[in-house]
Amino acid sequence: MKELSQTAQAVRASTTLAIDALFKQMKADGIDVIGFGAGEPDFNTPDNIKEAGIAAIRDNFTRYTPASGIMELRQAICARLKADCDLDYKPAQIVAASGAKHALYIALQTLVNPGDEIILPAPFWVSYYELIRMVGAVPVVLDATEASHFKLTAEQLSAAITPRTKALILNNPSNPTGMVYSREELQAIGRVCVEKDIYVIADEIYYHLIYDGKTFTSFPSVSEEVKERTILINGVSKSYAMTGWRIGYAAANEQIAKVMSNYLSHSTAAPCSIAQKAAVEALIGPQDTVDTMTSAFEARRDHLVERMNRIPGVSCLKPEGAFYIMMNLEQLVGKTLHGVFIRDADDFADAFLKHGLVATVPCTGFGAPNFVRWSYATSLQNIDEGLNRLEKFLAE
């Protein structure tokens, strides 16, 4: 048989899969393991949203919808972006997709020609790198260090732009770091993007999960010029505990939105009609469950960070959003733990799972080989037990 697609074969499996597979096998074997890899809230979808989905089924709302989503959903997205971010979009500028990851993929397909460069600050969500390569573009990774609170500076961005640069991917709040850009930082980055004439894919899927009373600034809100060249990515997965419903969306200028909609019409077409109706309720219905979930995450974050920073050999910054922390392993690299020589996060995560019975996410695939990610989308009881096991693991 003829060879398979070189592009498809070049897509690498997630570096977290091996750890996750081992974790699931150990759990299936009855071993008392604890997982901190979850990239989704541990809350249930609120009842009013579930009832909207059930009503859609009972009302036989089970047929094709427009490729970019039903008008009711696009209007609800516009209303939510106005209420939360003071952004003015029209329904014609909104494209609904089967999750925010899908919206990211369609955005890249809309922007990219083969060989274009996409600037990607590290640490980054593992899928960004592969999505860029899947559309034939070249990832240009810029290190945002712990000393800079894992945030890209305008100066770094400006220095990295070449004639082949097409876009920047900016994730705010960040997965995996949990860091949040200030309005001033975003304004400086925006000025560079306008001056150098590049697009921005602004992934703001965690925008509701902001702590310490801070105010979130949406990237396209910093100026009209910035908004015109930004594809805003968002969705209902994280804020409303709807990861399995698969509703994400993009907001962009009308030309970009039209091209994205055309692309969707010949690939997946619209997302699930039932999930669209549930998403409408999420966006226009009561928002108190969002506040409840955010408060719970903030309390867990505070507890996790305070305890972790008292454990010799590891440390972490206090994240400002999302539900992840980055545990620094630099003091452990080059040491041997439980007979395992620790070269990077992969070695640590594997040893910690096998000997400490705790699953974390090694950040080698996130562009941060000396860090592991812990999710605090789990109970305080699990957090305490996980940290107890970390102390024991490092002490032996």
Side-chain angles (χ1 to χ4, degrees):
M1 293 186 291
K2 293 184 178 180
E3 71 168 335
L4 301 178
S5 159
Q6 293 179 1
T7 299
Q9 290 184 88
V11 176
R12 298 173 298 186
S14 169
T15 57
T16 66
L17 285 181
I19 294 292
D20 187 56
L22 179 58
F23 166 69
K24 289 175 179 175
Q25 185 59 55
M26 292 171 72
K27 198 163 189 176
D29 291 341
I31 300 172
D32 180 23
V33 289
I34 301 176
F36 290 90
E40 59 184 348
D42 58 322
F43 294 84
N44 293 323
T45 302
D47 288 342
N48 62 309
I49 299 172
K50 290 188 285 191
E51 289 302 321
I54 293 167
I57 296 172
R58 287 179 176 150
D59 294 342
N60 295 307
F61 193 75
T62 55
R63 293 177 171 83
Y64 293 134
T65 76
S68 55
I70 59 176
M71 178 59 71
E72 187 183 6
L73 174 59
R74 287 182 282 144
Q75 288 173 332
I77 291 166
C78 291
R80 181 51 49 203
L81 288 175
K82 179 62 176 177
D84 292 346
C85 305
D86 197 27
L87 287 168
D88 291 303
Y89 285 102
K90 297 179 291 186
Q93 296 176 273
I94 305 299
V95 179
S98 301
K101 184 186 288 191
H102 187 213
L104 279 161
Y105 177 69
I106 302 302
L108 283 165
Q109 287 284 20
T110 299
L111 294 181
V112 164
N113 290 312
D116 284 348
E117 295 175 351
I118 307 295
I119 292 177
L120 182 60
F124 48 77
W125 177 45
V126 64
S127 288
Y128 291 141
Y129 193 90
E130 296 304 322
L131 286 167
I132 292 168
R133 296 173 71 239
M134 285 165 65
V135 300
V138 179
V140 177
V141 175
L142 302 183
D143 289 328
T145 65
E146 189 178 46
S148 65
H149 281 223
F150 300 119
K151 291 192 276 189
L152 178 73
T153 66
E155 293 74 22
Q156 275 182 294
L157 174 62
S158 181
I161 293 173
T162 75
R164 298 195 69 87
T165 304
K166 178 62 70 72
L168 160 72
I169 293 182
L170 191 67
N171 182 205
N172 181 44
S174 165
N175 172 12
T177 71
M179 291 306 170
V180 178
Y181 286 84
S182 69
R183 172 170 285 274
E184 293 72 25
E185 289 165 337
L186 293 174
Q187 287 172 332
I189 289 170
R191 285 192 291 269
V192 172
C193 295
V194 171
E195 178 189 340
K196 301 284 189 176
D197 188 27
I198 66 170
Y199 293 100
V200 179
I201 299 175
D203 182 354
E204 299 180 353
I205 189 69
Y206 293 96
Y207 84 108
H208 264 134
L209 304 178
I210 302 288
Y211 311 122
D212 306 316
K214 292 184 181 294
T215 300
F216 173 75
T217 299
S218 180
F219 186 68
S221 74
V222 303
S223 76
E224 280 300 315
E225 288 179 305
V226 166
K227 182 184 174 188
E228 185 66 16
R229 63 185 60 250
T230 298
I231 302 179
L232 174 63
I233 305 294
N234 215 314
V236 297
S237 294
K238 312 299 184 180
S239 300
Y240 302 98
M242 293 177 67
T243 51
W245 295 81
R246 307 312 301 137
I247 297 291
Y249 62 83
N253 71 47
E254 286 195 46
Q255 180 188 9
I256 291 174
K258 181 175 175 55
V259 174
M260 291 182 71
S261 181
N262 289 343
Y263 196 97
L264 279 167
S265 72
H266 292 290
S267 52
T268 57
C272 169
S273 60
I274 298 154
Q276 288 188 63
K277 281 288 191 178
V280 170
E281 174 61 24
L283 294 164
I284 68 173
Q287 301 294 299
D288 54 306
T289 55
V290 178
D291 296 333
T292 300
M293 188 166 62
T294 301
S295 296
F297 284 142
E298 184 168 2
R300 296 172 186 179
R301 175 208 62 167
D302 291 346
H303 187 70
L304 175 58
V305 170
E306 192 275 331
R307 270 208 64 187
M308 182 172 286
N309 281 322
R310 287 194 276 115
I311 299 174
V314 297
S315 64
C316 67
L317 295 182
K318 190 175 189 177
E320 300 163 330
F323 41 68
Y324 311 106
I325 66 101
M326 293 277 280
M327 187 173 79
N328 188 319
L329 306 172
E330 289 174 358
Q331 295 181 59
L332 304 178
V333 172
K335 294 185 176 181
T336 298
L337 295 172
H338 299 266
V340 178
F341 182 74
I342 306 299
R343 295 166 299 181
D344 56 21
D346 286 342
D347 291 331
F348 176 87
D350 185 67
F352 191 26
L353 178 54
K354 289 176 179 174
H355 301 283
L357 303 183
V358 175
T360 55
V361 175
C363 290
T364 47
F366 293 65
N370 290 340
F371 292 84
V372 293
R373 190 192 77 178
W374 293 57
S375 167
Y376 47 92
T378 188
S379 67
L380 279 171
Q381 180 181 354
N382 276 349
I383 290 171
D384 263 333
E385 180 58 26
L387 291 169
N388 289 342
R389 295 183 185 189
L390 176 64
E391 287 182 313
K392 183 179 179 182
F393 175 77
L394 294 177
E396 292 184 359

